Amino acid sequence: MHTPQQDSSAPLSKQSMGAAAVEAGRREPALEAINIVKNFGSLQVLRDVSMTLYRGDITAVVGDNGAGKSTFMKVLSGEHIPDGGQLCVNNREVQLRSTQDAQSYGIETVYQDLALAPDLSVAENVFLGREIKAPGWRGQIGMLDRQLMLEESTRILTELGAKLKSYRATTQSLSGGQRQGVAIARAIKWAQHAILMDEPTAALGTRQRDMVYAAIRAAAGRNLAVLLISHDLPQVLELADRIIVMRQGTAVANLNPAEVTVRDVVDVMLGAKGA
Ligand SMILES: Nc1ncnc2c1ncn2[C@@H]1O[C@H](COP(=O)(O)OP(=O)(O)OP(=O)(O)O)[C@@H](O)[C@H]1O
Ligand SMILES: [Mg+2]
């Protein structure tokens, strides 16, 4: 089956289109959520959350524990079906009923817990579930083009600045930072519109985080919309183009990182001013 996200030439054309749009001062919405509602039983966890993720932007979502950040992201990744509201990808309304649905619309997710298959190689992880068949009769009998997948994985990870000793080694032999780099490379490879990340550095040491932050920048540099959930506020201020603050299931503020301090963000998160 051929789907648009399998066109490996797409990221380059997207990049050039995006650059032109930025020069012209236009911001292109990649993913829009409008008045999203989500209930778990009688508990309303998301109340009319609206948010637009723009191409080339890193949008950080911050908030106290239980504010609804992960639940909101799971609505965007197709893991939770919302009880109300609309989702638009590339200005077209879509219904996401599964993570596969979201992937088919060009939305990829990177999880906190380094969700790779440990016994598979880097290349096998990047292409997991979306393997390239060998040409001709070999493909018809189910053989894979391992060389092409290896080359493509090596190319993406090299572009991200990953210095892996071997792309044939299983991912369990990699450091946490390297593994998260592989997960982001996989997302970049397949995302057409947006990459969603829930605490992608939470399981990592300080030094390993830098590689992941560089990979997040690289994703935005490829004109993808990036949503980053993080509790690391100093890093969010440095990395994000915009900060959305969630509190008790509502998006309460849209802040410009250039204009606020960590203290300001914490005050909004906790509702210290007024509430
Ligand atoms: N599957 C679920 N079933 C029932 N309640 C849930 C479920 N998932 C989340 N919740 C509840 O929804 C609320 C929001 O949780 P969520 O995980 O979205 O918060 P969060 O902002 O990601 O918090 P944290 O910063 O701790 O990760 C919490 O009260 C949580 O207990
Ligand atoms: Mg969470």
Side-chain angles (χ1 to χ4, degrees):
M1 190 181 71
H2 181 83
T3 53
Q5 77 270 23
Q6 284 173 316
D7 178 358
S8 61
S9 67
L12 285 177
S13 59
K14 279 191 299 181
Q15 203 164 8
S16 50
M17 263 173 53
V22 169
E23 263 172 42
R26 278 180 283 126
R27 293 169 86 213
E28 297 174 70
L31 180 55
E32 251 179 306
I34 304 157
N35 295 333
I36 296 298
V37 173
K38 179 69 193 172
N39 305 317
F40 289 116
S42 61
L43 183 69
Q44 187 167 55
V45 174
L46 299 177
R47 304 153 204 256
D48 289 330
V49 178
S50 297
M51 200 179 295
T52 306
L53 306 181
Y54 293 94
R55 292 184 179 284
D57 266 9
I58 299 172
T59 303
V61 174
V62 303
D64 207 359
N65 297 117
K69 305 179 297 294
S70 296
T71 305
F72 178 68
M73 203 193 86
K74 287 175 183 169
V75 168
L76 300 184
S77 69
E79 206 173 317
H80 286 326
I81 298 173
D83 296 300
Q86 271 176 289
L87 293 174
C88 297
V89 175
N90 233 9
N91 297 311
R92 284 188 25 215
E93 188 174 354
V94 297
Q95 311 272 340
L96 304 180
R97 309 228 149 252
S98 64
T99 50
Q100 287 81 1
D101 265 3
Q103 287 178 339
S104 74
Y105 284 110
I107 302 165
E108 291 286 323
T109 307
V110 175
Y111 296 95
Q112 162 179 350
D113 52 0
L114 314 170
L116 296 178
D119 299 332
L120 299 182
S121 71
V122 172
E124 284 165 338
N125 266 287
V126 169
F127 284 89
L128 189 61
R130 296 181 272 208
E131 290 82 359
I132 300 177
K133 289 220 168 93
W137 66 267
R138 286 189 186 82
Q140 282 165 16
I141 61 163
M143 287 174 74
L144 303 178
D145 196 335
R146 293 189 183 279
Q147 188 57 31
L148 188 57
M149 291 192 284
L150 181 64
E151 283 169 13
E152 178 72 0
S153 308
T154 307
R155 184 183 66 76
I156 302 169
L157 275 143
T158 307
E159 278 176 32
L160 290 182
K163 296 184 182 78
L164 305 187
K165 282 199 199 100
S166 166
Y167 291 82
R168 288 196 171 86
T170 59
T171 53
Q172 65 197 343
S173 66
L174 303 178
S175 74
Q178 288 171 329
R179 270 183 281 152
Q180 201 58 301
V182 173
I184 295 175
R186 174 168 66 187
I188 288 178
K189 159 79 187 148
W190 299 106
Q192 287 282 296
H193 302 301
I195 295 189
L196 315 173
M197 308 196 201
D198 195 350
E199 301 277 2
T201 59
L204 306 179
T206 318
R207 283 177 57 206
Q208 296 186 332
R209 291 181 185 188
D210 289 343
M211 182 192 151
V212 173
Y213 289 130
I216 292 171
R217 284 201 181 91
R222 285 167 173 246
N223 211 29
L224 296 165
V226 178
L227 182 146
L228 171 69
I229 295 176
S230 177
H231 283 283
D232 184 350
L233 296 181
Q235 194 59 51
V236 159
L237 283 180
E238 204 182 305
L239 205 61
D241 296 289
R242 289 174 321 127
I243 303 174
I244 309 285
V245 184
M246 287 189 67
R247 197 168 70 221
Q248 295 173 357
T250 314
V252 291
N254 183 338
L255 306 173
N256 178 350
E259 293 172 355
V260 293
T261 63
V262 167
R263 186 71 243 168
D264 296 332
V265 179
V266 171
D267 283 349
V268 180
M269 275 169 56
L270 302 180
K273 286 185 179 150

